[in-house]
């Protein structure tokens, strides 16, 4: 007997729009929608026709999918108005979407206070509106708003709302934990009672994350019988977000054995889909996100690494490759030989376990971390350190000197602070002296160095500094404390790497990280030294 089928409904393009700091463009919505279709979800809710010009433009563009079904979201007709005369409902029917999801009240308190109508009229609104969608040839879904609060307050009326939706022809009745306050044991108990009356094949679940239980609540509902799960990519949504489909998908498939529309190849696309959305929205991906985070399968302690090398199941609950992710071995002052050997192997520097240079490298890492460096998260600097010790690195350039000046002055009636870097660099036996102004000292240093290297290494034009982090160590030392700089870079090949510098002088620490970043790119581009 095959495992039960779970249908996946994504509301990123509507619920995600309510995330503070996110404002989808039409291009964003269409790109994310096609990424979702490629991933393999069953339903893609593209927005609310008539609510804003962006959503109108998305439906006007009529995105077509190879696998998913496009859904338009809206609300039931207004009180005292026929469905044919309700402008909002008619806009939904005119959207062209093959499926329509209508939100309606199921909490008697909201019916009388928010809608200011009778309980019977609300039931008629639900039934009439869904019937209008079905009559227009659309698949109809009922979004039972505040269902769990409504059920706790008046279970008979909450269930009556579901019955009205069924009479109207709804394919799915979606139970919503709208304020995110219901706990998993409550969800499982309430859904279990509903499932005694309505088959689970007609029920869905939509959870918000206000108690950090949206994923757990969704799984509890599935255990109790629901067969449609709603959520958003990376848990985007209002307040604390929605149930995270990126976490739900592999848990449903790999842990609980449910069937979805996704195959193994689709699941291996999960990490890409998660990071695609973050890149599209200019958000930094959560390194610690379950399943897909950069550190989801990262190992730091030497004993852990030894165990993973022998049997990955010791510290990896699923193989990272199933999700399009990979194992990451971190190197720090906690690292043992196993960490270093694993990371060396990863960068193509495999050594025998008894090679004395392994111990030398471990000791060098620990000594440098005592000085303020860290290689936990700065793998590019570690690789350069290891290559320098084991096989030597080309000298792409040598710094003779640099000077950085900050000047605060009036420019066109505005008070601005400008940074100017003057640098002498030797490249191929020739001394280059360059001067550059930048938005801060690090930017000025970067521009001056690139000017010096541009003729010899034109590929550096594709290098981008994407993140710059400063941390003050030994805060009790005040302004004389050691400063650690972490610099993240990327290039035209979409490769990303991080380097580190440490010094009591923040400019010197920044130079170290910058020098490593450029050396790393030149090495991996195969530049001659």
């Amino acid at each position: 007997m095959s495992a039960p089928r779970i249908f996946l409904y994504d509301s990123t393009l509507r619920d995600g729009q309510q995330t503070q700091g996110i404002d989808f463009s039409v291009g964003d919505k269409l790109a994310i929608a096609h990424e979702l279709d490629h991933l393999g979800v069953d339903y893609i809710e593209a927005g609310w026709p008539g609510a804003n010009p962006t959503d109108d433009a998305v439906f006007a563009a009529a995105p077509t999918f190879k696998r998913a079904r496009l859904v338009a979201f809206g609300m039931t007709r207004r009180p005292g108005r026929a469905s044919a005369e309700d402008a909002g409902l008619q806009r939904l029917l005119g959207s062209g979407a093959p499926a329509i999801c209508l939100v309606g009240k199921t909490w008697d308190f909201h019916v009388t206070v928010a809608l200011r109508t009778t309980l019977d009229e609300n039931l008629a609104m639900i039934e009439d509106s869904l019937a209008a969608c079905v009559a227009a040839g659309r698949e109809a879904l009922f979004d039972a708003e505040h269902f769990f609060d409504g059920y706790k307050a008046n279970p008979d009326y909450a269930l009556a709302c579901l019955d009205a939706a069924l009479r109207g022809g709804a394919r799915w009745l979606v139970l919503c934990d709208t304020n995110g306050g219901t706990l998993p044991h409550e969800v499982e108990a309430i859904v279990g009672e509903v499932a005694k009356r309505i088959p689970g094949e007609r029920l869905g679940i939509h959870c918000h994350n206000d108690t950090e239980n949206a994923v757990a609540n969704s799984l509890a509902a599935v255990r109790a019988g629901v067969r449609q799960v709603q959520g958003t990519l990376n848990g985007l949504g209002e307040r604390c977000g929605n149930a995270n489909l990126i976490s739900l998908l592999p848990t449903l498939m790999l842990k609980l054995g449910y069937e979805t529309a996704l195959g193994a190849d689709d699941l291996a696309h999960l990490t890409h889909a998660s990071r695609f959305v973050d890149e599209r929205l200019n958000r930094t991906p959560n390194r610690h996100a379950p399943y897909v985070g950069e550190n989801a399968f990262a190992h730091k302690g030497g004993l852990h690494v030894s165990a993973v090398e022998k049997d990955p199941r010791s510290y990896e609950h699923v193989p990272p490759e199933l999700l399009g992710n990979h194992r990451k071995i971190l190197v720090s002052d906690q690292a043992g030989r196993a960490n270093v050997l694993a990371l060396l192997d990863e960068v193509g520097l495999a050594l025998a376990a008894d090679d004395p240079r392994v111990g030398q490298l471990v000791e060098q890492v620990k000594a440098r971390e005592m000085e303020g460096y860290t290689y936990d998260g700065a793998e590019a600097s570690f690789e350069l350190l290891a290559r320098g010790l084991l096989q030597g690195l080309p000298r792409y350039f040598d710094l003779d000197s640099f000077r950085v000046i900050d000047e605060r002055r009036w420019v066109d009636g505005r008070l601005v602070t400008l940074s100017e870097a003057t640098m002498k660099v030797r490249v191929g036996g020739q001394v280059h002296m360059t001067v550059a102004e930048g938005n801060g000292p690090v930017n000025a240093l970067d521009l001056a160095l690139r000017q010096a290297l541009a003729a010899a290494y034109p590929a550096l034009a594709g290098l981008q500094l994407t993140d710059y982090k400063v941390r003050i160590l030994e805060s009790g030392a005040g302004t004389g404390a050691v400063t650690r700089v972490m610099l993240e870079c990327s290039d035209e090949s979409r490769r990303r790497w991080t380097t580190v510098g440490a010094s009591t002088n923040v400019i010197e620490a920044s130079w170290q990280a910058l020098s490593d970043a450029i050396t790393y790119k030149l090495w991996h581009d195969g530049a001659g030294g």
Side-chain angles (χ1 to χ4, degrees):
M1 182 177 177
S2 61
R5 169 76 150 87
I6 302 296
F7 292 82
L8 304 166
Y9 182 111
D10 182 273
S11 63
T12 301
L13 303 181
R14 180 183 62 85
D15 279 321
Q17 175 96 345
Q18 299 176 48
T19 308
Q20 183 178 4
I22 287 181
D23 187 15
F24 291 123
S25 66
V26 174
D28 290 334
K29 285 204 167 191
L30 293 175
I32 293 170
H34 286 294
E35 183 69 17
L36 285 163
D37 182 47
H38 179 63
L39 181 63
V41 302
D42 298 286
Y43 295 91
I44 300 173
E45 186 184 280
W48 188 325
N52 57 70
T54 299
D55 285 358
D56 289 343
V58 169
F59 284 98
T64 55
F65 301 133
K66 295 180 179 179
R67 306 167 69 180
R69 175 161 279 208
L70 177 68
V71 184
F73 185 89
M75 61 185 292
T76 58
R77 67 167 176 81
R78 298 183 183 277
R81 187 179 302 177
S83 296
E85 300 171 353
D86 188 277
L89 188 55
Q90 292 307 308
R91 276 194 292 268
L92 287 171
L93 296 176
S95 69
I100 294 174
C101 182
L102 296 180
V103 60
K105 304 293 186 185
T106 59
W107 188 359
D108 56 358
F109 170 73
H110 275 182
V111 174
T112 56
V113 174
L115 291 181
R116 298 184 180 180
T117 191
T118 66
L119 299 184
D120 286 342
E121 171 63 0
N122 182 58
L123 295 177
M125 290 159 55
I126 295 170
E127 182 175 350
D128 295 348
S129 302
L130 288 159
C133 295
V134 174
R138 312 300 173 82
E139 181 177 351
L141 299 88
F142 177 57
D143 188 88
E145 187 181 36
H146 283 282
F147 178 79
F148 293 94
D149 296 300
Y151 187 92
K152 292 175 188 178
N154 187 340
D156 290 338
Y157 186 72
L159 291 169
C161 292
L162 299 184
D163 290 338
L166 283 174
R167 291 195 300 272
R171 164 64 183 89
W172 292 102
L173 310 177
V174 184
L175 312 181
C176 299
D177 182 28
T178 308
N179 64 22
T182 311
L183 298 178
H185 68 282
E186 298 175 294
V187 169
E188 188 159 5
I190 292 172
V191 172
E193 291 300 314
V194 175
K196 293 177 182 177
R197 179 168 177 161
I198 299 170
E201 289 75 14
R202 306 293 294 275
L203 298 174
I205 184 71
H206 182 116
C207 295
H208 287 253
N209 200 36
D210 297 72
T211 62
E212 194 66 37
N213 278 296
V215 169
N217 283 343
S218 301
L219 297 174
V222 169
R223 280 172 49 86
V226 307
R227 291 297 175 257
Q228 185 195 96
V229 175
Q230 298 197 1
T232 61
L233 294 178
N234 297 334
L236 294 175
E238 190 177 22
R239 304 187 310 276
C240 304
N242 285 50
N244 186 354
L245 275 185
I246 296 294
S247 296
L248 277 167
L249 259 168
T251 302
L252 288 167
M253 296 173 65
L254 301 179
K255 300 292 187 180
L256 300 177
Y258 288 103
E259 179 188 347
T260 72
L262 280 72
D265 290 344
D266 299 316
L267 193 60
H269 189 71
L270 194 69
T271 297
H272 172 82
S274 171
R275 296 178 186 176
F276 173 87
V277 172
D278 282 330
E279 284 197 20
R280 188 79 199 190
L281 300 178
N282 198 26
R283 290 162 56 97
T284 302
N286 178 5
R287 290 175 177 269
H288 304 285
Y291 293 107
V292 299
E294 189 176 335
N295 290 341
F297 299 94
H299 306 282
K300 183 173 180 178
L303 289 176
H304 290 195
V305 175
S306 297
V308 167
E309 291 291 313
K310 296 172 184 174
D311 184 356
R313 293 172 298 178
S314 301
Y315 290 98
E316 292 177 352
H317 61 107
V318 295
E321 295 78 16
L322 295 180
L323 314 156
N325 209 342
H326 64 277
R327 180 178 305 138
K328 182 178 178 183
I329 305 300
L330 305 177
V331 177
S332 74
D333 62 1
Q334 296 183 36
R337 298 175 69 89
N339 294 61
V340 170
L341 285 166
L343 197 54
L344 288 174
D345 185 62
E346 193 172 298
V347 299
L349 289 170
L351 294 180
D354 58 356
D355 191 313
R357 292 176 296 173
V358 175
Q360 294 172 21
L361 184 55
V362 171
E363 292 308 312
Q364 197 168 112
V365 166
K366 293 183 178 182
R368 288 177 68 83
E369 293 211 348
M370 282 290 291
E371 298 171 7
Y373 297 86
T374 179
Y375 297 101
D376 177 358
E379 296 87 351
S381 285
F382 170 78
E383 181 179 337
L384 295 177
L385 180 69
R387 289 191 184 280
L389 175 68
L390 301 176
Q391 62 183 34
L393 278 170
R395 300 292 298 183
Y396 297 109
F397 57 90
D398 289 290
L399 176 70
D400 278 1
S401 65
F402 71 73
R403 179 180 62 200
V404 178
I405 301 173
D406 282 349
E407 181 182 2
R408 194 166 183 255
R409 66 175 184 248
W410 290 93
V411 177
D412 297 329
R414 294 186 304 115
L415 188 62
V416 299
T417 301
L418 297 176
S419 295
E420 179 185 283
T422 303
M423 184 177 295
K424 290 183 180 179
V425 180
R426 295 182 182 272
V427 184
Q430 292 187 325
V431 177
H432 298 262
M433 181 175 178
T434 57
V435 181
E437 283 188 343
N439 181 22
V442 178
N443 182 232
L445 276 174
D446 178 36
L447 295 176
L449 180 58
R450 292 208 215 189
Q451 283 183 34
L453 303 181
Y457 308 116
L460 289 178
L463 175 68
Q464 289 186 321
L465 275 60
T466 57
D467 201 1
Y468 174 79
K469 294 185 178 72
V470 176
R471 182 180 174 189
I472 305 299
L473 308 178
E474 304 172 14
S475 57
T479 55
V482 172
T483 300
R484 177 191 295 155
V485 168
M486 302 283 282
L487 195 64
E488 183 180 279
C489 295
S490 65
D491 62 13
E492 64 282 353
S493 68
R494 301 179 67 86
R495 181 173 55 202
R496 287 182 177 271
W497 64 96
T498 302
T499 55
V500 63
S503 171
T504 54
N505 185 307
V506 66
I507 305 301
E508 170 61 23
S510 301
W511 163 259
Q512 293 171 12
L514 177 63
S515 177
D516 269 9
I518 288 178
T519 300
Y520 181 86
K521 175 170 173 58
L522 293 174
W523 166 261
H524 281 275
D525 285 352

